[in-house]
Amino acid sequence: MLQSQTSNAVSLKSFTLRGAANGLWTALLRWQDRASGRHHMAKLDKDALKDVGLTEAEIYKEYSKPVWRR
């Protein structure tokens, strides 16, 4: 029975580490996507901003946020 418990503990630890790594990778990809989107928005000219209904102040506010904030 001890062997089974040890095997389960190792399996659970491996699963937890894998889940943590996947979660970190997902967060990094999400942050990269946000940074890219904010960078593209910051490059829009006044006519394009008017077309999408945003102001320069709104773009600046969004661009100034850290990537981990929505």
Side-chain angles (χ1 to χ4, degrees):
M1 183 142 177
L2 183 60
Q3 178 66 22
S4 177
Q5 289 175 341
T6 304
S7 177
N8 287 340
V10 171
S11 178
L12 182 59
K13 183 177 180 183
S14 174
F15 177 76
T16 302
L17 291 176
R18 190 176 316 121
N22 285 338
L24 178 60
W25 184 251
T26 300
L28 291 173
L29 291 175
R30 186 180 311 124
W31 294 349
Q32 175 61 34
D33 188 50
R34 284 184 193 153
S36 177
R38 290 173 181 171
H39 182 74
H40 289 293
M41 280 195 319
K43 288 183 160 186
L44 294 176
D45 63 8
K46 289 183 180 186
D47 291 332
L49 290 176
K50 187 177 179 182
D51 288 344
V52 295
L54 296 172
T55 66
E56 288 182 9
E58 290 170 323
I59 295 296
Y60 179 77
K61 182 179 177 182
E62 185 68 26
Y63 187 76
S64 299
K65 287 183 190 178
V67 292
W68 55 87
R69 287 193 46 218
R70 288 183 178 211

